[in-house]
Amino acid sequence: MSYKYCAFSLIFSSILFSCKTEIQEDPLLFSSEDFEISLWAESPMFFNPTNMDVDAKGRIWVTEAVNYRNYNNDSASFLHHPKGDRVMILEDTDQDGVADSSKVFIQDPDLVSPLGIAVIGNRVFVSCAPHLLIYTDENGDDVPDKKEIFLTGFGGKDHDHSLHSVLAGPDGKLYFNTGNAGPHHVTDKSGWNLRSGSLYTGGSPYNTSNNGSQISDDGKVYVGGLALKINPDGTGLEVLAHNFRNSYEVFVDSRGDLWQNDNDDQVVTCRVSWIPEGGNAGYFSADGTRTWQAEQRPGQEIFRAHWHQDDPGVMPAGDKSGAGSPTGMMRYEGDAFGKYFRGTLMSADAGRNAIFSYQPRIEKSGYDLGPRDILFSSINDDDEGYVWNDTSFQNQKSKWFRPSDLVTGTDGAIYIADWYDPVVGGHQMKDTVATGKIYRIVPKNKKLTNPILDYKSDKGLVEVLKNPAVNVRFTAFEKLKTKGESAIPLIEPLLADENPFIRSRAIYLLAQLGDQGLHKATKLLDSDDEMTRIEALRAIKTTGNLASLPTDKLLADPSPFVKREYATVLLDLPWEDRKLAFESLLKDFNPSDPWYLEALGKLAEGHEREAFAISQKAFAISSEGQWPNELEALAWRIPSEDAVPALKKRLESEELDDKTRDYVLTSLAFIPEKNAAEAMYSLSSNPDSTLAEMAMYWLSFRQGNDWKEFLDWKKIGVDPEKSKKLAEMMAKKGLILEEKMALNDRKNQAKAMAIDPVGGQMLMEMITSNKLPEDLRATVEENIRNNPELGVRVQAGNYFGSKGNEENYSNEHVASLTSDALRGEIAFTKYCTTCHTANGVGKDIGPDLSQIKTKYDQTTLLDAIINPNGGIVFGFEPWLVKMKSGESYYGFIQGETKESLIIKDLSGKRTTLEVEEIAEKKQEKKSIMPDPTSLGMTPQELADISAFLLRMH
């Protein structure tokens, strides 16, 4: 169908942003005059866009999510497609900068909120867990002639944390990713099995069973979200990195670098990262059995704890982008905006109503993203950035702009998909008509048109290979590759192209053009240009011709990036070969280079004792006991039992500052050996109370995992007072169930239990199991609200309800009250800091609210407070765990193995429970957050609190 409407321009503010190049140190300032934004398409041409791609004709393909979360949102008031969600094709037929044609490519019952699309030749890949589907249009009539399941077994059906889009890489492979809503049990076309999971469940009625410590056919344990690649024929599935939360889209650029953004459990710790091959992104514990909350150390900053940045074996998190809901990723490789914009990395953030930009450059053996800029936004945030005023936002909030994806067209323009909804995340939507928009960004006063791409002639194929649209280039790559060595004269001139990304594509293709092409690619390892050597190494590696790589030359390369990259080639070799490389790579080791340190750690895996001995020989401890920085870092990353005596001696020296002491303690704590556990136990009795306290923390933490079998934990951790209290409350429980006992006596016993922390837990277990006698219900209800345990009080509020006048707490009424932010700060301290933090004040039980204003306006914030059960934040689903002893625990499950379970209660206390002692565990449907009436909060106080949070700096 076609849809005609009046196009309009979006007006920038006059704020400037900086854009740096690889070769220029000084920032170049671009004014708002350099860009022009227009509305390219909007509903009803399509609805609720989740992802986009571009085809050879320059058309935009869109996956829709109209049937988004039917279990939450399907009602007569929401737009619904009973025949399934759709893939739409949009086109600007007259090239006037506005789409005028819209058609349905496919509508399929198997499509339930698909999250990814890739148009590669006549094959259309659609990502919709549990399947990665291919629709093939064999005759080019925009109607699929064949449907097949390319891969299946991905977790996260109808879930945001599931399978995302496919992208064609410069090496001829297909790249894609999936979120942490596992388990993922996927078999490729050659029979290789991926098995990945974690303790994460929830978010949808389908995501009910999951667990960590699953082993894939390569013998490795992968957890959480995954970055993957595969051959176009479905063979060769490979995990490139793992342990994301929900990276919405992994982008592979022409250099072979992977870029991602990732969402968080809090509202302050989203990130944008470069992904090194084999990277552990650090969301869960390494085996997926514990959450970051379970592993947060005393005093550890949330961002570092959230992404395990103080743990060995974890990649650097990258830029802390703060509050938000990251979505699409893209690196711009075209020439339309000038050479200084070329290479700009862009991250869409639906929660922040913005597109962030970065100018990455090599730093040591990894990447520095550089400063974060707001490239485009619909609101004037605290950060400086371009702001537009969309006239269609009249009578609506500017926060309705929810960018879900961005893509480069064949014309070099940038296209941004807008989900356009007042909320984002939590499996919710509020826009009942499923509005969607696509914006087009072009250089000011420059007309861009889609070129006619020629796939039949040699010259045409070379031009297609130069096109900035990623997936459009892939067919040209494959056709040129089939020509073998005869294509070398066509490709070699591209090695001198002014655009470095075109040079990159030429290097990758050259390596696959027969023996002569491989030889020419190998010669590029002699280049004076660091990036050329990196790309040549990667290009040769992807061919599998590792024997052609000059080992000595690469190990002596002046670039730490090249040497770290070469280390990834060696990981599957026998130890004797890795050992020689390990010794060589130590010569130029910079302990402040985290990517290089991680490469050394991976080389040492399985042979830590010998690797640490080599390290000690290269970087010896002085006769005065001084540790070289290099050895300190290597002892932290390489967990050797032979390092234990020296680490213990150093900790006992009384000469370490707090930071160094914590670092060395961490080194000891990550050695999974008995002598490490014994050394930590010895340190727990050290005269230095701070050291003893931290050692006891590590003992407590390791009790349920790496050191479980090494010490007599009952001797170390028995709490006699708790055992006594449990026995007392068990006796009272028996009395209140004794029917022959006088009612008043039973009420007295029930009252005593209701105001006791352990007794209150038992009563709540009885209530949820319908075992509390009805004649005691009023007594319990009256007294349990005064229980000293917050978790008990919250549960009581959920089950007994509240006594407030609900009409006074309507969103409309509260929003109409005159509010005061100063009064709100006082009220926030009174009611909220027990669980929440704002500007560093409060507890980190629930999400940090310091930047909540960047995600919510007043309406959505009030709705979240007044109706806390409407959208429970991922990671904060409450659980009730009942023990065989009669005790119960209420809180967040933060770690789970076959042997033990970690639960964090509402005071922040973590308890490790033996699985064999658990009678039952179930996820509660209600939020831990009480409604305002349960807290005794007045409507005026609620209005004041919202003012404080929305105006807070």
Side-chain angles (χ1 to χ4, degrees):
M1 66 178 179
S2 64
Y3 176 62
K4 187 175 181 180
Y5 55 86
C6 295
F8 58 86
S9 295
L10 300 171
I11 304 171
F12 283 122
S13 73
S14 60
I15 301 173
L16 305 182
F17 79 95
S18 64
C19 184
K20 301 179 182 178
T21 73
E22 309 171 324
I23 59 175
Q24 195 152 329
E25 293 296 327
D26 296 325
L28 296 172
L29 295 181
F30 289 81
S31 74
S32 57
E33 301 301 316
D34 293 314
F35 294 86
E36 183 176 286
I37 297 184
S38 61
L39 180 63
W40 188 76
E42 67 175 339
S43 299
M45 299 182 80
F46 62 97
F47 301 95
N48 279 4
T50 59
N51 201 243
M52 295 185 297
D53 198 18
V54 180
D55 68 9
K57 297 178 182 179
R59 303 180 299 180
I60 303 294
W61 294 57
V62 178
T63 46
E64 296 181 327
V66 171
N67 297 341
Y68 182 77
R69 310 304 177 258
N70 287 342
Y71 50 82
N72 277 346
N73 304 314
D74 193 14
S75 68
S77 61
F78 282 88
L79 178 65
H80 180 61
H81 284 159
K83 295 182 180 180
D85 273 321
R86 309 182 302 179
V87 174
M88 306 298 295
I89 307 174
L90 308 176
E91 185 175 11
D92 174 9
T93 61
D94 56 9
Q95 295 286 282
D96 67 347
V98 179
D100 49 45
S101 172
S102 173
K103 66 173 70 173
V104 178
F105 173 71
I106 186 67
Q107 184 171 23
D108 188 342
D110 283 344
L111 297 183
V112 183
S113 303
L115 295 180
I117 184 168
V119 184
I120 302 178
N122 65 354
R123 300 202 299 173
V124 180
F125 292 78
V126 178
S127 304
C128 189
H131 308 312
L132 177 53
L133 300 164
I134 297 179
Y135 299 94
T136 304
D137 178 8
E138 295 177 340
N139 56 10
D141 63 353
D142 295 331
V143 177
D145 300 294
K146 184 173 65 174
K147 170 188 172 183
E148 62 180 298
I149 296 176
F150 186 66
L151 294 172
T152 191
F154 295 97
K157 178 183 177 181
D158 203 6
H159 197 300
D160 292 319
H161 294 218
S162 60
L163 187 63
H164 299 295
S165 62
V166 171
L167 206 66
D171 55 356
K173 309 279 189 177
L174 302 180
Y175 291 72
F176 61 104
N177 70 309
T178 187
N180 68 315
H184 307 300
H185 293 165
V186 181
T187 302
D188 72 6
K189 302 296 186 185
S190 60
W192 189 86
N193 292 287
L194 166 68
R195 302 177 189 89
S196 173
S198 68
L199 77 163
Y200 175 74
T201 57
S204 84
Y206 313 109
N207 190 42
T208 58
S209 178
N210 197 3
N211 60 279
S213 298
Q214 300 188 44
I215 302 174
S216 295
D217 279 2
D218 58 6
K220 297 179 181 179
V221 173
Y222 301 114
V223 303
L226 310 169
L228 304 150
K229 73 175 178 180
I230 195 168
N231 295 321
D233 64 0
T235 64
L237 181 62
E238 183 179 346
V239 178
L240 296 172
H242 73 125
N243 210 359
F244 308 130
R245 184 176 187 265
N246 184 40
S247 172
Y248 192 89
E249 186 172 59
V250 168
F251 186 88
V252 56
D253 65 23
S254 291
R255 291 170 169 169
D257 284 310
L258 295 176
W259 309 92
Q260 62 105 36
N261 51 31
D262 202 356
N263 212 326
D264 62 353
D265 286 332
Q266 298 280 329
V267 292
V268 294
T269 54
C270 297
R271 59 177 173 178
V272 177
S273 317
W274 170 70
I275 305 174
E277 184 176 346
N280 173 353
Y283 175 56
F284 294 109
S285 62
D287 61 1
T289 63
R290 299 183 299 278
T291 67
W292 68 267
Q293 295 100 325
E295 302 202 323
Q296 184 178 12
R297 270 97 89 176
Q300 190 180 26
E301 190 261 332
I302 287 179
F303 181 78
R304 298 195 65 79
H306 197 289
W307 304 120
H308 285 84
Q309 291 298 281
D310 297 318
D311 291 6
V314 176
M315 74 182 209
D319 176 53
K320 175 184 174 182
S321 58
S325 298
T327 48
M329 288 290 296
M330 185 184 78
R331 194 171 192 191
Y332 187 79
E333 299 183 1
D335 298 316
F337 294 90
K339 65 179 182 179
Y340 298 120
F341 190 77
R342 189 193 299 141
T344 296
L345 181 69
M346 286 173 271
S347 170
D349 195 311
R352 292 284 290 278
N353 321 100
I355 306 294
F356 296 130
S357 70
Y358 303 85
Q359 302 297 325
R361 64 180 68 200
I362 286 179
E363 174 68 22
K364 299 170 184 170
S365 69
Y367 273 94
D368 177 11
L369 293 177
R372 177 180 70 255
D373 291 303
I374 293 183
L375 192 59
F376 308 113
S377 179
S378 65
I379 60 172
N380 192 359
D381 205 350
D382 290 340
D383 299 292
E384 292 187 347
Y386 287 130
V387 180
W388 70 65
N389 296 315
D390 178 347
T391 57
S392 72
F393 283 137
Q394 291 177 0
N395 302 319
Q396 301 289 356
K397 299 292 186 181
S398 61
K399 285 181 179 287
W400 277 48
F401 173 60
R402 303 294 185 183
S404 58
D405 195 22
L406 64 170
V407 69
T408 304
T410 58
D411 56 356
I414 299 169
Y415 294 83
I416 299 174
D418 179 8
W419 171 270
Y420 200 75
D421 200 283
V423 300
V424 59
H427 300 286
Q428 297 184 85
M429 63 180 181
K430 301 292 185 182
D431 175 24
T432 59
V433 294
T435 308
K437 300 187 177 192
I438 296 176
Y439 296 100
R440 183 173 185 257
I441 297 92
V442 298
K444 190 77 168 182
N445 299 321
K446 186 175 181 179
K447 182 176 176 62
L448 300 180
T449 57
N450 295 319
I452 298 175
L453 301 182
D454 173 15
Y455 288 90
K456 295 181 179 180
S457 70
D458 290 347
K459 182 179 178 181
L461 289 174
V462 172
E463 287 303 311
V464 175
L465 191 66
K466 295 165 65 176
N467 194 276
V470 180
N471 290 336
V472 164
R473 298 192 296 261
F474 193 73
T475 301
F477 175 96
E478 289 188 311
K479 287 180 176 292
L480 287 165
K481 178 182 172 181
T482 63
K483 295 179 179 293
E485 293 181 354
S486 66
I488 293 176
L490 300 173
I491 299 305
E492 276 194 301
L494 298 183
L495 297 175
D497 197 277
E498 191 270 338
N499 185 324
F501 294 100
I502 292 176
R503 299 199 296 267
S504 304
R505 296 169 212 157
I507 292 171
Y508 272 101
L509 180 54
L510 190 65
Q512 300 191 39
L513 298 180
D515 292 341
Q516 186 180 353
L518 179 63
H519 175 73
K520 288 179 177 291
T522 304
K523 292 292 291 181
L524 292 175
L525 294 172
D526 295 324
S527 173
D528 292 334
D529 179 67
E530 179 184 27
M531 186 52 72
T532 297
R533 300 197 305 277
I534 293 168
E535 292 163 354
L537 173 57
R538 289 173 171 174
I540 296 166
K541 178 184 177 183
T542 200
T543 68
N545 292 289
L546 304 183
S548 65
L549 292 171
T551 296
D552 292 342
K553 178 190 290 291
L554 290 166
L555 290 175
D557 195 283
S559 163
F561 199 112
V562 170
K563 286 187 284 196
R564 180 205 52 76
E565 195 78 19
Y566 183 55
T568 66
V569 175
L570 308 173
L571 294 180
D572 293 328
L573 296 181
W575 166 240
E576 288 305 314
D577 295 321
R578 286 187 283 138
K579 174 184 173 182
L580 294 174
F582 182 86
E583 291 175 326
S584 179
L585 291 171
L586 285 181
K587 295 175 183 177
D588 298 311
F589 171 46
N590 179 349
S592 66
D593 184 340
W595 302 281
Y596 200 99
L597 175 60
E598 178 59 16
L600 290 170
K602 286 186 175 296
L603 283 174
E605 286 179 3
H607 297 272
E608 287 82 3
R609 296 182 68 180
E610 191 169 353
F612 183 71
I614 295 170
S615 303
Q616 276 188 306
K617 185 176 179 180
F619 308 107
I621 301 172
S622 73
S623 57
E624 293 81 22
Q626 295 296 315
W627 281 55
N629 292 337
E630 293 89 346
L631 184 61
E632 182 179 79
L634 290 164
W636 177 80
R637 177 57 185 88
I638 301 172
S640 169
E641 60 186 298
D642 292 344
V644 170
L647 291 170
K648 181 173 180 291
K649 182 178 179 181
R650 192 176 188 207
L651 286 164
E652 292 172 332
S653 68
E654 300 182 359
E655 296 179 359
L656 304 182
D657 58 40
D658 291 346
K659 183 178 180 181
T660 305
R661 182 201 61 221
D662 290 348
Y663 190 78
V664 179
L665 271 169
T666 301
S667 305
L668 182 61
F670 275 83
I671 299 175
E673 305 292 344
K674 185 176 182 179
N675 68 336
E678 292 171 340
M680 194 69 81
Y681 181 52
S682 174
L683 291 169
S684 69
S685 301
N686 193 277
D688 181 340
S689 60
T690 303
L691 174 60
E693 182 179 332
M694 286 302 299
M696 184 55 73
Y697 160 76
W698 279 114
L699 286 169
S700 175
F701 173 67
R702 287 290 178 223
Q703 174 183 353
N705 44 80
D706 289 358
W707 294 347
K708 180 179 176 62
E709 305 299 328
F710 297 151
L711 298 175
D712 185 348
W713 295 107
K714 290 185 178 180
K715 179 180 178 181
I716 294 172
V718 167
D719 183 351
E721 290 300 318
K722 182 176 180 180
S723 299
K724 180 180 178 182
K725 176 62 70 173
L726 181 59
E728 178 188 346
M729 290 299 119
M730 284 294 292
K732 291 184 179 295
K733 178 181 177 181
L735 291 174
I736 67 173
L737 294 174
E738 179 54 63
E739 295 180 353
K740 296 180 180 181
M741 191 174 186
L743 178 59
N744 284 338
D745 289 338
R746 291 171 58 230
K747 285 183 176 180
N748 288 335
Q749 299 296 334
K751 179 179 179 181
M753 289 184 70
I755 60 176
D756 181 88
V758 176
Q761 292 173 349
M762 289 185 179
L763 286 173
M764 290 312 305
E765 186 275 329
M766 295 173 70
I767 291 167
T768 59
S769 303
N770 293 317
K771 294 178 181 178
L772 180 69
E774 190 62 32
D775 55 2
L776 298 178
R777 186 176 179 87
T779 299
V780 171
E781 179 179 1
E782 179 181 356
N783 291 281
I784 203 165
R785 297 178 189 278
N786 298 321
N787 192 284
E789 286 289 328
L790 176 63
V792 174
R793 297 198 304 273
V794 170
Q795 278 189 290
N798 286 337
Y799 283 91
F800 289 118
S802 56
K803 300 179 180 179
N805 180 352
E806 293 184 2
E807 291 184 4
N808 290 335
Y809 292 85
S810 69
N811 200 311
E812 181 179 3
H813 173 70
V814 174
S816 71
L817 299 175
T818 302
S819 59
D820 184 290
L822 292 177
R823 291 198 311 260
E825 183 172 8
I826 295 171
F828 181 86
T829 302
K830 176 181 178 182
Y831 294 110
C832 308
T833 53
T834 308
C835 288
H836 295 284
T837 300
N839 286 347
V841 177
K843 293 185 177 181
D844 66 339
I845 309 302
D848 188 316
L849 302 181
S850 302
Q851 297 185 42
I852 195 68
K853 68 176 182 179
T854 65
K855 190 170 184 177
Y856 288 160
D857 56 19
Q858 186 185 35
T859 299
T860 50
L861 177 61
L862 287 174
D863 180 67
I865 299 174
I866 296 170
N867 304 301
N869 298 318
I872 302 175
V873 176
F874 295 139
F876 291 92
E877 302 92 344
W879 289 78
L880 179 66
V881 180
K882 303 173 185 178
M883 308 300 292
K884 294 177 182 178
S885 65
E887 193 174 8
S888 67
Y889 294 85
Y890 179 68
F892 314 119
I893 291 180
Q894 298 193 323
E896 187 172 7
T897 66
K898 293 179 180 179
E899 294 81 22
S900 62
L901 178 148
I902 302 171
I903 189 165
K904 177 182 177 182
D905 67 19
L906 301 195
S907 69
K909 179 182 177 182
R910 297 180 182 89
T911 303
T912 300
L913 307 174
E914 297 297 322
V915 170
E916 63 183 17
E917 298 299 325
I918 295 175
E920 181 187 1
K921 68 181 179 73
K922 65 177 181 178
Q923 185 176 327
E924 300 286 85
K925 296 181 179 180
K926 296 185 178 181
S927 169
I928 65 156
M929 179 176 167
D931 62 67
T933 57
S934 297
L935 291 171
M937 188 189 302
T938 67
Q940 182 61 61
E941 287 173 320
L942 178 55
D944 294 338
I945 288 173
S946 68
F948 164 64
L949 292 174
L950 293 172
R951 298 173 195 174
M952 182 170 47
H953 296 288

